[in-house]
Amino acid sequence: MLREDSGDREFRMVLDRATAELPPLPDLVPGAVRQGRRRRLRSRAMIGVVGAASVAAIAAPTLLLAPWAGGDTGRAGSSRPGELPLNPANWPTDQPLAAPTTAYPTVHVTPTREGRTGEPTRAEVELRYAFKQKVADVITKLLPPDAGRIVIPDNSVNAFRLVAGDRTYNFTVRVDPPTPAADETGLANGPAGSNAVAGNKPCSARLPQNPPVPCADGRLPDGSAISVGHISAAKGAGPSGIKEGPPPPSTPIAHFAYHGAEVMFTLFRDERTDSAPPVSNEQVLRVVTDPTFLEVVDFWRTQPING
C-alpha cells in the first residue's frame, strides 16, 4: 500500500482550500463500480419494461383499436393493415358475403364529432373494420388493375380512397333506406323501395343537360335498368334556365335503388390537381352491377354497421 508523503499532504490541502465551496466529488473508483452495477440493473429493468408494455398492449383496448378507436390515437397518414381481425366473432354467418381474407392499408383521419352519440364498442369497431376490408377487396377485383390501389380511411364506414401515382381520389359507398321525397336533381323521386331514383332510369330519361354529360346504361341482375354518369349539370345557368357551360371533369356517379335500399357509389376529383379519377362510367357500371358487389349491398342493408 502506498503511503502519502508530506508533499502529497500539502498538495491535498491546497486542493481542499480551492474547492472548499464546491460540492464534494465522489470517489471515482467506488462510483465506477456503482455505475457498472446501475448499467446492469437498467438492462434488466428495460427487459421488464418491454415485457410490461407488451402485456399493456394486450390489455388496453385503445391501443389495440388504434387507429380505429374513433379518436386521435393514430398518426396522420399511418398505414397499418391487420391491426384488427379480418374475421371478427360477430361477423354474420347467415349471409352469403364471406368475411375478408385480405388486409388493405388503412389511414387515420381525424373524425368529426357531428352526429356521433358515443364511442363505438369493440365489437362494432371490429365489424366495421372487417366490412370495409371486404368492400375494398370486392371493388379492387372489379376495377381494372391499372386504376390504382384502395386505401381505407378509419373515419367513416362510407369513406374509401383510390390512390393512383401521386393522386388520391376519395370515393363514397353508401347504402341507405330510400327516401320518397323528390329533389331538384331527381335523385329520389319515387316511393320507398321502388326503382324510380335517377340511377334506375336510362340515360335518355335523365334530366336534360346542356351540353350532355357522359352516361352509361346497364341492367341489374333482376333485369331493372341502371345508368351511371353525372347527375348534376355544369355550373352557370343560361336564359333558358338550363345550366350551360362545359361539364366538370368526369366523376362517375352511380345512384340507384336495389332491394328496398338506396345505393350510391361516387368518385371525386383529386383535390390537389382537380384531375378526374382514372375510372370510367362503364367501369363503375361493371362494379355496381356485379353480383359480388350486390352481396355487399344486401349485407349492408341488413346489418348494423355504424360509424
Side-chain angles (χ1 to χ4, degrees):
M1 181 175 179
L2 296 177
R3 294 184 177 180
E4 188 177 50
D5 58 20
S6 60
D8 292 334
R9 286 196 296 272
E10 291 177 0
F11 182 71
R12 182 183 293 276
M13 292 175 62
V14 171
L15 289 179
D16 287 343
R17 286 195 299 269
T19 60
E21 296 181 359
L22 298 176
L25 296 174
D27 194 345
L28 295 180
V29 174
V33 173
R34 287 194 298 271
Q35 185 178 15
R37 290 174 179 171
R38 284 197 297 269
R39 286 179 178 176
R40 288 196 298 272
L41 290 175
R42 280 199 300 268
S43 298
R44 294 170 184 171
M46 285 300 294
I47 295 173
V49 168
V50 171
S54 300
V55 173
I58 295 174
T62 55
L63 292 178
L64 278 175
L65 300 181
W68 288 80
D72 296 329
T73 51
R75 294 180 294 105
S78 65
S79 178
R80 300 187 294 177
E83 68 268 30
L84 288 173
L86 289 175
N87 191 353
N90 59 337
W91 184 273
T93 57
D94 59 345
Q95 298 281 334
L97 188 70
T101 58
T102 303
Y104 289 81
T106 63
V107 60
H108 178 65
V109 178
T110 302
T112 175
R113 306 306 303 175
E114 182 179 355
R116 285 180 178 259
T117 58
E119 294 299 332
T121 65
R122 178 186 176 86
E124 290 173 336
V125 170
E126 288 186 351
L127 181 59
R128 185 181 71 180
Y129 173 84
F131 177 72
K132 292 192 72 173
Q133 293 286 356
K134 184 66 178 184
V135 175
D137 194 46
V138 168
I139 295 175
T140 295
K141 292 176 179 177
L142 294 174
L143 285 177
D146 58 354
R149 59 186 179 89
I150 292 181
V151 176
I152 305 175
D154 68 340
N155 60 327
S156 168
V157 70
N158 309 114
F160 297 85
R161 293 180 181 178
L162 182 66
V163 179
D166 62 346
R167 299 178 181 182
T168 298
Y169 307 94
N170 292 309
F171 70 95
T172 297
V173 183
R174 294 187 64 93
V175 177
D176 298 314
T179 55
D183 62 20
E184 67 275 8
T185 65
L187 292 182
N189 57 1
S194 75
N195 280 352
V197 294
N200 293 103
K201 299 176 180 179
C203 294
S204 58
R206 290 291 190 94
L207 292 178
Q209 300 185 72
N210 184 22
V213 295
C215 185
D217 283 332
R219 291 196 176 274
L220 295 168
D222 62 5
S224 58
I226 180 174
S227 61
V228 175
H230 288 290
I231 296 175
S232 60
K235 295 181 179 180
S240 64
I242 298 177
K243 295 181 179 180
E244 299 176 346
S250 179
T251 52
I253 299 171
H255 190 179
F256 59 98
Y258 183 75
H259 287 181
E262 194 165 335
V263 185
M264 178 174 285
F265 186 110
T266 308
L267 282 152
F268 300 97
R269 298 186 294 273
D270 174 59
E271 294 182 359
R272 183 177 59 84
T273 63
D274 200 37
S275 61
V279 180
S280 67
N281 291 329
E282 289 75 15
Q283 289 166 342
V284 171
L285 183 66
R286 177 175 179 265
V287 171
V288 299
T289 57
D290 190 274
T292 57
F293 178 81
L294 295 174
E295 282 183 0
V296 169
V297 173
D298 282 330
F299 184 97
W300 200 337
R301 68 185 180 84
T302 60
Q303 303 302 320
I305 303 172
N306 303 317

Short mmCIF file of all heavy atoms in Angstrom, two decimals, residues 129-153:
data_model
loop_
_atom_site.label_atom_id
_atom_site.label_comp_id
_atom_site.label_asym_id
_atom_site.label_seq_id
_atom_site.Cartn_x
_atom_site.Cartn_y
_atom_site.Cartn_z
N TYR A 129 -64.38 -2.51 -39.37
CA TYR A 129 -63.07 -2.70 -39.98
C TYR A 129 -63.10 -3.85 -40.99
O TYR A 129 -62.66 -3.71 -42.14
CB TYR A 129 -62.03 -2.97 -38.89
CG TYR A 129 -60.67 -3.36 -39.42
CD1 TYR A 129 -59.75 -2.37 -39.80
CD2 TYR A 129 -60.28 -4.70 -39.52
CE1 TYR A 129 -58.50 -2.72 -40.29
CE2 TYR A 129 -59.03 -5.05 -40.01
CZ TYR A 129 -58.15 -4.07 -40.38
OH TYR A 129 -56.91 -4.40 -40.87
N ALA A 130 -63.62 -4.99 -40.57
CA ALA A 130 -63.66 -6.16 -41.46
C ALA A 130 -64.56 -5.90 -42.67
O ALA A 130 -64.23 -6.30 -43.79
CB ALA A 130 -64.15 -7.38 -40.67
N PHE A 131 -65.68 -5.21 -42.45
CA PHE A 131 -66.59 -4.94 -43.56
C PHE A 131 -65.92 -4.03 -44.59
O PHE A 131 -66.01 -4.28 -45.80
CB PHE A 131 -67.88 -4.30 -43.05
CG PHE A 131 -68.83 -3.93 -44.14
CD1 PHE A 131 -69.54 -4.90 -44.83
CD2 PHE A 131 -69.03 -2.60 -44.50
CE1 PHE A 131 -70.42 -4.57 -45.85
CE2 PHE A 131 -69.90 -2.25 -45.51
CZ PHE A 131 -70.60 -3.24 -46.19
N LYS A 132 -65.23 -2.99 -44.15
CA LYS A 132 -64.57 -2.10 -45.10
C LYS A 132 -63.46 -2.83 -45.85
O LYS A 132 -63.22 -2.56 -47.03
CB LYS A 132 -64.03 -0.86 -44.39
CG LYS A 132 -65.12 0.07 -43.87
CD LYS A 132 -64.57 1.41 -43.42
CE LYS A 132 -64.15 2.25 -44.61
NZ LYS A 132 -63.75 3.62 -44.22
N GLN A 133 -62.77 -3.74 -45.17
CA GLN A 133 -61.77 -4.53 -45.87
C GLN A 133 -62.43 -5.38 -46.96
O GLN A 133 -61.88 -5.55 -48.06
CB GLN A 133 -61.03 -5.43 -44.86
CG GLN A 133 -60.16 -4.70 -43.87
CD GLN A 133 -58.88 -4.16 -44.48
OE1 GLN A 133 -58.58 -4.40 -45.65
NE2 GLN A 133 -58.10 -3.42 -43.71
N LYS A 134 -63.61 -5.93 -46.67
CA LYS A 134 -64.32 -6.73 -47.66
C LYS A 134 -64.76 -5.89 -48.84
O LYS A 134 -64.62 -6.30 -50.00
CB LYS A 134 -65.54 -7.40 -47.01
CG LYS A 134 -66.30 -8.34 -47.95
CD LYS A 134 -65.45 -9.55 -48.34
CE LYS A 134 -66.21 -10.51 -49.23
NZ LYS A 134 -65.41 -11.72 -49.54
N VAL A 135 -65.30 -4.70 -48.57
CA VAL A 135 -65.71 -3.80 -49.65
C VAL A 135 -64.51 -3.45 -50.53
O VAL A 135 -64.59 -3.47 -51.77
CB VAL A 135 -66.36 -2.52 -49.08
CG1 VAL A 135 -66.67 -1.54 -50.20
CG2 VAL A 135 -67.63 -2.86 -48.32
N ALA A 136 -63.38 -3.13 -49.90
CA ALA A 136 -62.17 -2.80 -50.66
C ALA A 136 -61.74 -3.97 -51.53
O ALA A 136 -61.33 -3.78 -52.69
CB ALA A 136 -61.05 -2.40 -49.71
N ASP A 137 -61.83 -5.18 -51.01
CA ASP A 137 -61.41 -6.34 -51.77
C ASP A 137 -62.33 -6.59 -52.98
O ASP A 137 -61.86 -6.88 -54.08
CB ASP A 137 -61.39 -7.57 -50.87
CG ASP A 137 -60.65 -8.74 -51.49
OD1 ASP A 137 -59.55 -8.52 -52.03
OD2 ASP A 137 -61.18 -9.87 -51.46
N VAL A 138 -63.64 -6.45 -52.75
CA VAL A 138 -64.60 -6.65 -53.84
C VAL A 138 -64.36 -5.63 -54.96
O VAL A 138 -64.29 -5.98 -56.15
CB VAL A 138 -66.04 -6.56 -53.32
CG1 VAL A 138 -67.04 -6.45 -54.48
CG2 VAL A 138 -66.37 -7.77 -52.46
N ILE A 139 -64.21 -4.35 -54.59
CA ILE A 139 -64.05 -3.31 -55.60
C ILE A 139 -62.70 -3.44 -56.31
O ILE A 139 -62.60 -3.24 -57.53
CB ILE A 139 -64.20 -1.92 -54.96
CG1 ILE A 139 -65.63 -1.75 -54.44
CG2 ILE A 139 -63.86 -0.81 -55.94
CD1 ILE A 139 -65.87 -0.47 -53.68
N THR A 140 -61.66 -3.79 -55.58
CA THR A 140 -60.34 -3.98 -56.20
C THR A 140 -60.39 -5.05 -57.28
O THR A 140 -59.80 -4.89 -58.36
CB THR A 140 -59.31 -4.38 -55.13
OG1 THR A 140 -59.14 -3.29 -54.21
CG2 THR A 140 -57.97 -4.70 -55.76
N LYS A 141 -61.09 -6.13 -57.03
CA LYS A 141 -61.17 -7.22 -58.01
C LYS A 141 -62.04 -6.87 -59.21
O LYS A 141 -61.92 -7.49 -60.27
CB LYS A 141 -61.70 -8.48 -57.32
CG LYS A 141 -60.72 -9.05 -56.31
CD LYS A 141 -61.30 -10.24 -55.56
CE LYS A 141 -60.29 -10.81 -54.58
NZ LYS A 141 -60.84 -11.94 -53.79
N LEU A 142 -62.92 -5.86 -59.07
CA LEU A 142 -63.81 -5.50 -60.17
C LEU A 142 -63.27 -4.33 -61.01
O LEU A 142 -63.65 -4.18 -62.16
CB LEU A 142 -65.20 -5.14 -59.63
CG LEU A 142 -65.97 -6.31 -58.99
CD1 LEU A 142 -67.26 -5.82 -58.36
CD2 LEU A 142 -66.26 -7.40 -60.02
N LEU A 143 -62.40 -3.51 -60.43
CA LEU A 143 -61.80 -2.40 -61.18
C LEU A 143 -60.60 -2.92 -62.00
O LEU A 143 -60.00 -3.93 -61.65
CB LEU A 143 -61.34 -1.30 -60.23
CG LEU A 143 -62.41 -0.42 -59.61
CD1 LEU A 143 -61.77 0.57 -58.63
CD2 LEU A 143 -63.21 0.32 -60.67
N PRO A 144 -60.24 -2.22 -63.07
CA PRO A 144 -59.04 -2.61 -63.83
C PRO A 144 -57.80 -2.53 -62.95
O PRO A 144 -57.71 -1.68 -62.06
CB PRO A 144 -58.99 -1.57 -64.96
CG PRO A 144 -60.37 -1.02 -65.05
CD PRO A 144 -60.94 -1.08 -63.68
N PRO A 145 -56.83 -3.39 -63.16
CA PRO A 145 -55.62 -3.38 -62.32
C PRO A 145 -54.88 -2.05 -62.33
O PRO A 145 -54.22 -1.70 -61.36
CB PRO A 145 -54.76 -4.50 -62.93
CG PRO A 145 -55.73 -5.39 -63.63
CD PRO A 145 -56.82 -4.49 -64.14
N ASP A 146 -54.97 -1.29 -63.45
CA ASP A 146 -54.23 -0.03 -63.54
C ASP A 146 -55.02 1.16 -62.98
O ASP A 146 -54.57 2.31 -63.09
CB ASP A 146 -53.82 0.25 -64.98
CG ASP A 146 -55.03 0.32 -65.93
OD1 ASP A 146 -56.16 0.02 -65.48
OD2 ASP A 146 -54.83 0.66 -67.10
N ALA A 147 -56.19 0.91 -62.39
CA ALA A 147 -56.97 2.03 -61.85
C ALA A 147 -56.34 2.63 -60.61
O ALA A 147 -56.52 3.82 -60.33
CB ALA A 147 -58.39 1.55 -61.52
N GLY A 148 -55.58 1.85 -59.85
CA GLY A 148 -54.97 2.34 -58.63
C GLY A 148 -55.17 1.32 -57.52
O GLY A 148 -55.70 0.23 -57.72
N ARG A 149 -54.75 1.71 -56.33
CA ARG A 149 -54.91 0.83 -55.17
C ARG A 149 -55.83 1.50 -54.15
O ARG A 149 -55.86 2.73 -54.03
CB ARG A 149 -53.55 0.53 -54.52
CG ARG A 149 -52.80 1.77 -54.05
CD ARG A 149 -51.41 1.43 -53.56
NE ARG A 149 -50.68 2.63 -53.14
CZ ARG A 149 -50.72 3.12 -51.91
NH1 ARG A 149 -51.46 2.51 -50.98
NH2 ARG A 149 -50.05 4.22 -51.60
N ILE A 150 -56.55 0.69 -53.41
CA ILE A 150 -57.52 1.22 -52.45
C ILE A 150 -56.88 1.32 -51.07
O ILE A 150 -56.20 0.39 -50.61
CB ILE A 150 -58.77 0.34 -52.40
CG1 ILE A 150 -59.54 0.46 -53.72
CG2 ILE A 150 -59.68 0.74 -51.24
CD1 ILE A 150 -60.81 -0.35 -53.78
N VAL A 151 -57.08 2.45 -50.43
CA VAL A 151 -56.66 2.70 -49.05
C VAL A 151 -57.92 3.01 -48.25
O VAL A 151 -58.83 3.68 -48.75
CB VAL A 151 -55.65 3.87 -48.97
CG1 VAL A 151 -55.30 4.19 -47.53
CG2 VAL A 151 -54.40 3.53 -49.76
N ILE A 152 -57.97 2.55 -47.00
CA ILE A 152 -59.20 2.64 -46.22
C ILE A 152 -59.05 3.66 -45.09
O ILE A 152 -58.32 3.42 -44.12
CB ILE A 152 -59.55 1.26 -45.63
CG1 ILE A 152 -59.63 0.21 -46.74
CG2 ILE A 152 -60.86 1.32 -44.86
CD1 ILE A 152 -59.85 -1.18 -46.24
N PRO A 153 -59.72 4.81 -45.17
CA PRO A 153 -59.75 5.74 -44.03
C PRO A 153 -60.57 5.15 -42.88
O PRO A 153 -61.50 4.39 -43.09
CB PRO A 153 -60.43 7.00 -44.61
CG PRO A 153 -60.38 6.83 -46.10
CD PRO A 153 -60.41 5.36 -46.34
#
